Amino acid sequence: MNIDLEIFSPVHQLNNKLFDERDLFVYTKRDDLIHPIISGNKWRKLKYLLKEAQRQHKNHLVTFGGAYSNHLLATAAAAARFGFKATGIVRGEEVNNDTLFMCRLHGMKLIFTDRESYRDKQMLFNNYFGDDDQAFFIDEGGTSPEAVKGCSELVDELSEHYDHIFCACGTGATAAGIISGLTNHQLNAVFHGVPVLKNGGFMVDEIDKLLPAPASYQIHTDYHFGGYGKTTDELIGFVKQFVAETGILIEPVYTGKMFYALYDLAAKNYFKPGSRILAIHTGGLWGLLGMKDKF
Ligand SMILES: *Cc1c(COP(=O)(O)O)cnc(C)c1O
C-alpha cells in the first residue's frame, strides 16, 4: 500500500480591525484540514515513520503519549488507515476520556504505565515487545529525523512570500522541520515558535538537536498560560472570540496559545507595518473535547 494522504491545506487570510490598524497581512495555513483525525502536523510527523516501518516489514506500531495525546490518536487512525496494528503506551493510571475512546475505536490497544517506568520508553518497548519482530518503535510525539523531514515539506507547499511564520511547539520537531524547510528553499522568513509548556527556553536545545544545519529563529516563551494543558480565563476568552469571529476552530492547548501570541505581539507593534505573517494551524481539535468544562 502506498502510504500517503492527499494534502489539502489551503491558506486563509484573517481579517480584523487590529490587523487593519497595524497594516498587517495575516494568514493561516490550514493543516487542520489534512484529515479529521490524523490532523495537521501529526500526519506530517508520521508519514516517513510509517514508510520506514513498511520498508522494514513491520506491521505493528508501538508509541507513547499522555491520556490526551493528539499523537496517540493520530497514530491510531493512521495505523487503521494504512493497515498496521497499533499499541499506545499511556502515561499514568488507567482512565477513559474522549481521546482514548477514539484511539480504541480505531483499534489501538492501550497499555497504562506509571510515570516512573514511562520515563524509559525504549525499556518499556523491550519489556512488552522485545519478542515481537513485527513491532516498530515510534517515540512520544513521533519525534525523529523522519518527523523533521515530513514537516519540512510544509514549506514546499508555500506559493507566496511571508516575512514571519508562527507555529506552536511541544517537542519542537515540527518547528525544526519548518525551519529546515525554510533553509532548504533559502527563504528568509523568520520562524517564530510558541512553546506551550512552562520554561520554554529549553525548546531552543530541542530544536537545535533536531535541525540538520544550524539556523536562526525566534522563540516566545511567555505564552504558556501556566504550562502544558493549563489555561486561564483570558486564553479561553480569546479562543471563544477567535472561533466566533473567524469560523476556524482552535483549541487552548496548542493553537490557542500560538494565535494568542501572534495577536498580542501585533497589538504591541512587534511587526513592521506591511508585514506578511503566516500562522500554521496544526490541528489537534479533538483536544477540545477534553476541555469542555473550561468553557
Ligand atoms: C503535537 C502538536 C503540536 C506540537 O508539535 P511538536 O512537533 O511536538 O512541537 C502543535 N500543535 C498541535 C495541535 C499538536 O497536536
Side-chain angles (χ1 to χ4, degrees):
M1 183 172 348
N2 183 23
I3 297 175
D4 226 333
L5 290 178
E6 211 179 309
I7 298 285
F8 177 69
S9 174
V11 170
H12 291 155
Q13 187 167 9
L14 299 173
N15 293 299
N16 60 43
K17 201 158 142 272
L18 170 66
F19 299 152
D20 283 349
E21 281 170 2
R22 302 293 192 281
D23 193 23
L24 300 175
F25 302 90
V26 181
Y27 304 84
T28 181
K29 183 162 170 59
R30 301 291 307 278
D31 267 14
D32 57 314
L33 299 179
I34 290 177
H35 185 279
I37 317 283
I38 319 172
S39 90
N41 65 335
K42 296 303 185 280
W43 166 247
R44 297 189 187 276
K45 293 173 81 172
L46 282 169
K47 176 175 150 186
Y48 287 105
L49 286 167
L50 268 58
K51 285 182 185 287
E52 180 59 18
Q54 185 185 52
R55 197 187 65 79
Q56 294 180 22
H57 305 288
K58 309 241 183 198
N59 70 0
H60 179 192
L61 308 178
V62 177
T63 194
F64 305 83
Y68 292 95
S69 165
N70 293 330
H71 163 72
L72 274 187
L73 178 52
T75 305
R81 170 72 175 75
F82 296 108
F84 294 91
K85 283 199 321 183
T87 298
I89 299 184
V90 188
R91 182 182 61 234
E93 61 290 350
E94 177 149 6
V95 287
N96 208 351
N97 63 33
D98 298 300
T99 300
L100 297 177
F101 159 70
M102 290 292 286
C103 287
R104 288 200 182 91
L105 182 62
H106 284 88
M108 179 179 256
K109 292 226 167 53
L110 300 178
I111 298 174
F112 294 85
T113 184
D114 63 88
R115 280 152 206 275
E116 188 54 39
S117 356
Y118 188 82
R119 292 216 178 99
D120 194 341
K121 299 185 184 62
Q122 197 62 56
M123 174 117 89
L124 278 171
F125 178 83
N126 293 341
N127 286 348
Y128 283 106
F129 302 105
D131 297 333
D132 177 355
D133 62 7
Q134 294 295 317
F136 185 78
F137 175 93
I138 298 180
D139 206 346
E140 184 172 44
T143 304
S144 55
E146 287 87 350
V148 174
K149 177 176 178 200
C151 291
S152 77
E153 292 181 351
L154 182 152
V155 179
D156 304 345
E157 297 160 24
L158 300 180
S159 54
E160 306 280 334
H161 163 79
Y162 300 98
D163 302 297
H164 302 278
I165 298 184
F166 273 73
C167 186
C169 300
T171 65
T174 304
I178 296 171
I179 295 164
S180 70
L182 292 172
T183 308
N184 294 343
H185 287 273
Q186 300 183 315
L187 295 176
N188 59 6
V190 179
F191 178 86
H192 300 262
V194 180
V196 301
L197 307 90
K198 218 193 283 199
N199 305 321
F202 76 92
M203 198 54 67
V204 174
D205 303 320
E206 298 300 312
I207 293 174
D208 285 352
K209 256 191 276 174
L210 291 163
L211 279 179
S216 64
Y217 54 89
Q218 299 289 323
I219 296 293
H220 301 275
T221 55
D222 295 336
Y223 297 99
H224 57 76
F225 293 88
Y228 182 74
K230 300 277 194 319
T231 62
T232 64
D233 290 346
E234 199 180 345
L235 177 62
I236 296 295
F238 174 81
V239 168
K240 281 185 185 166
Q241 191 180 347
F242 182 96
V243 175
E245 271 181 3
T246 64
I248 298 172
L249 273 177
I250 59 172
E251 44 67 53
V253 182
Y254 290 102
T255 48
K257 293 179 182 178
M258 183 276 295
F259 278 111
Y260 186 102
L262 196 170
Y263 279 58
D264 189 55
L265 292 167
K268 292 174 174 160
N269 296 313
Y270 179 88
F271 307 105
K272 268 204 284 215
S275 295
R276 295 171 53 82
I277 305 164
L278 181 69
I280 310 302
H281 191 319
T282 40
L285 295 170
W286 287 93
L288 267 176
L289 295 180
M291 301 218 123
K292 285 180 294 222
D293 57 338
K294 301 275 201 318
F295 280 77

